């Protein structure tokens, strides 16, 4: 069994142990899926992903979870070329790759418009804290990766997603309990 298959198998176990799964997982590209900045490379080069990235992507896809890209790369043509060379273009339901000063909030608005997935049903991995902070405020569970996406980050992300989901469901139930009670008309 190759490294990709081992990582995929372990990722499937992590996914199987999670009590609730996101509908959509969004990845940054530079220093999250691959260990470089696109703008520092030539599109003629053959790119490579971080060691765990392929296995994680395949496991998420096999589990029926949609995947998307949110990248602020100033060279979207290179990013797209690299995704093509890695045979990854077809696995993403949305690819928002454009330079922006909004810390990816515009990217997520477009991803939401394209997919219809609510922000609280998304999980996001990125290597920049400013993006994590901005996107978290939208209701997306966001995980800062230090050295690319890996099984530890996946485990942390799914744990935090479950915690956030459970908290939002409890708040929703409290609201329903408080505001959907029928007035008591049994006074005789």
């Amino acid at each position: 069994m190759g490294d990709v298959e081992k990582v995929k198998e372990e990722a499937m176990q992590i996914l199987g142990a999670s009590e609730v799964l996101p509908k959509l997982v969004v990845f940054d590209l530079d220093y999250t899926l691959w260990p470089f900045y696109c703008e520092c490379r030539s599109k003629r080069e053959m790119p490579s992903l971080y060691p765990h990235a392929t296995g994680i992507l395949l496991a998420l896809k096999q589990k029926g979870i949609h995947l998307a890209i949110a990248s602020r790369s100033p060279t979207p043509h290179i990013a797209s070329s690299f995704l093509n060379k890695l045979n990854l273009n077809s696995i993403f339901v949305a690819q928002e790759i454009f330079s922006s000063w909004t810390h990816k909030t515009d990217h997520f608005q477009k991803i939401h418009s394209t997919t219809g997935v609510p922000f609280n049903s998304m999980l996001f991995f990125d290597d920049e804290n400013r993006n994590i902070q901005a996107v978290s405020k939208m209701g997306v569970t966001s995980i800062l990766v230090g050295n690319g996406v890996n099984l530890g980050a996946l485990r942390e992300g799914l744990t935090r997603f479950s915690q956030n989901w459970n908290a939002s469901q409890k708040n929703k139930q409290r609201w329903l309990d408080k505001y959907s009670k029928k007035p008591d008309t049994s006074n005789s």
Side-chain angles (χ1 to χ4, degrees):
M1 184 184 314
D3 289 346
V4 170
E5 281 301 313
K6 285 180 186 171
V7 171
K8 180 183 171 192
E9 189 176 294
E10 191 168 340
M12 289 297 288
Q13 290 171 356
I14 293 167
L15 289 160
S18 299
E19 62 180 280
V20 63
L21 295 172
K23 287 184 172 48
L24 177 72
V25 178
V26 183
F27 295 92
D28 172 43
L29 292 174
D30 299 346
Y31 289 97
T32 300
L33 282 183
W34 50 51
F36 52 82
Y37 289 115
C38 286
E39 61 265 30
C40 298
R41 306 292 285 267
S42 160
K43 69 180 185 179
R44 290 184 297 277
E45 293 180 51
M46 185 59 196
S48 61
L49 298 177
Y50 277 107
H52 291 178
T54 302
I56 289 169
L57 292 171
L58 293 173
L60 290 166
K61 194 72 181 155
Q62 184 174 323
K63 209 63 169 150
I65 297 169
H66 294 296
L67 305 173
I69 301 240
S71 173
R72 292 187 311 118
S73 174
T75 54
H77 60 288
I78 294 176
S80 293
S81 171
F82 285 175
L83 289 168
N84 243 348
K85 286 182 178 188
L86 294 164
N87 296 315
L88 294 176
N89 258 331
S90 65
I91 70 167
F92 296 104
V93 296
Q95 292 184 34
E96 296 302 331
I97 306 170
F98 57 89
S99 191
S100 165
W101 296 106
T102 64
H103 308 309
K104 300 205 177 158
T105 55
D106 287 349
H107 294 74
F108 274 82
Q109 290 293 350
K110 289 181 180 218
I111 289 169
H112 170 67
S113 293
T114 300
T115 65
V117 175
F119 295 124
N120 70 346
S121 295
M122 295 181 191
L123 174 58
F124 174 49
F125 295 96
D126 197 298
D127 67 309
E128 291 187 44
N129 194 46
R130 62 186 174 170
N131 295 328
I132 296 297
Q133 297 302 316
V135 172
S136 291
K137 289 177 184 165
M138 299 174 80
V140 176
T141 299
S142 303
I143 303 300
L144 182 67
V145 298
N147 200 10
V149 72
N150 58 42
L151 291 167
L154 178 66
R155 189 176 288 110
E156 177 189 351
L158 291 170
T159 299
R160 190 133 10 115
F161 180 84
S162 291
Q163 291 166 346
N164 291 348
W165 181 260
N166 289 335
S168 72
Q169 294 307 301
K170 285 179 188 165
N171 289 339
K172 182 178 174 182
Q173 191 56 53
R174 276 192 217 111
W175 188 90
L176 287 171
D177 291 347
K178 184 174 182 179
Y179 295 106
S180 65
K181 289 184 179 165
K182 294 190 175 20
D184 186 7
T185 56
S186 64
N187 291 350
S188 336

